[in-house]
Amino acid sequence: MSHVSHVSHGTAAPRPSVITTARRAALVGATALTAALALAGPASAHAEVEADTPRALATGVTLTFVSEAESDSAGFTELRVVLPEGISPGDVSLDDAPEGWKLTAAGNGYTVAGPALKPGVDAEHSIKVKQLPNARELVFKTVETYSDGEISRWIELPTGGKEPEQPAPVLKLKAAAAGAASLAPSPSASTPTSANASANASADVTRSPTPSAVRAAGDDDGGMPTGAVVGGVAAVVVAVGGGAWWLAGRRRRSAATQS
């Protein structure tokens, strides 16, 4: 009886050209991803507030504000902060700020301004507050002005469960300590008539601008939203990567058939 040997032919190994194509596709994808992250950089900048005693009705509290720089060509010259209900301009005093910067009370908040900071340098300042109001959280709408005249408004609040593109700084507070009581309110400060008045007027934060009006300073994406840019680049990465793998699979099937 004769025995017939059955030889199983495995799938042919990928050819060097296929591997090279796949590697090139991976390189293109990595490059596109890096570009996407670079374009999304300005959107990651934000304004923040912290407190040494984040508790309702706490007294003598130091609030520290940090505005992250968004421009590579201009530095901060002014920050306009709107105080939440329960804190009047007369209740705050400047505790720390960049060299040469001063605080000026203004209507429903205050302005800290001074010599322009270097491009890329964050603006940090601290104020001393007489007493925090009895609330769960405090919102400090902030408007930043750069030396080239660009203005960045961090004044938006969450709506419909969606996070805003330029959220206002929010300080969450713990419940008031037992026995804590409200102090007598301080007189409201009048709006200054100094040179800062015109800057304050241009930095009006009582009206929330449309999304197109809150573009961060330093963005030069031609008006295209950062999300659209990132989405477009991601689509290119998927298309290029998918095309490369489709081509590799086609060549492998062709090689197996020829074998």
Side-chain angles (χ1 to χ4, degrees):
M1 179 182 293
S2 60
H3 296 278
V4 179
S5 288
H6 295 277
V7 179
S8 48
H9 296 280
T11 303
R15 296 180 180 179
S17 59
V18 175
I19 297 176
T20 301
T21 301
R23 287 178 177 174
R24 287 178 179 174
L27 179 59
V28 170
T31 302
L33 179 59
T34 301
L37 293 176
L39 289 173
S44 64
H46 52 276
E48 294 181 334
V49 59
E50 294 181 349
D52 61 350
T53 309
R55 183 180 294 277
L57 297 181
T59 59
V61 179
T62 298
L63 300 182
T64 300
F65 296 82
V66 177
S67 290
E68 295 186 356
E70 301 173 277
S71 176
D72 294 329
S73 59
F76 289 115
T77 58
E78 179 184 283
L79 303 176
R80 170 82 163 92
V81 178
V82 173
L83 294 170
E85 185 177 355
I87 302 179
S88 70
D91 291 333
V92 305
S93 60
L94 187 62
D95 185 66
D96 189 29
E99 185 175 358
W101 284 41
K102 297 181 179 180
L103 181 148
T104 303
N108 59 351
Y110 66 88
T111 297
V112 282
L117 303 182
K118 293 181 179 180
V121 175
D122 297 343
E124 180 176 340
H125 77 281
S126 300
I127 59 172
K128 185 76 72 174
V129 180
K130 182 179 179 181
Q131 184 180 38
L132 297 181
N134 191 9
R136 293 182 178 180
E137 62 179 30
L138 303 175
V139 178
F140 297 85
K141 294 183 178 181
T142 302
V143 175
E144 307 163 344
T145 301
Y146 289 83
S147 56
D148 60 0
E150 288 293 327
I151 294 177
S152 183
R153 294 177 172 87
W154 298 92
I155 63 176
E156 300 178 3
L157 299 177
T159 56
K162 295 182 179 180
E163 288 297 324
E165 292 184 5
Q166 291 189 283
V170 176
L171 177 65
K172 296 187 179 299
L173 302 179
K174 299 177 182 178
S182 298
L183 303 177
S186 300
S188 299
S190 59
T191 302
T193 57
S194 64
N196 282 331
S198 59
N200 293 337
S202 66
D204 181 16
V205 296
T206 58
R207 299 186 302 273
S208 296
T210 59
S212 61
V214 295
R215 290 184 64 247
D219 278 351
D220 55 358
D221 54 20
M224 182 179 294
T226 301
V229 174
V230 175
V233 174
V236 172
V237 172
V238 172
V240 172
W245 286 114
W246 175 84
L247 179 59
R250 182 178 179 183
R251 290 182 175 177
R252 284 195 298 268
R253 289 192 296 271
S254 177
T257 301
Q258 291 176 2
S259 300

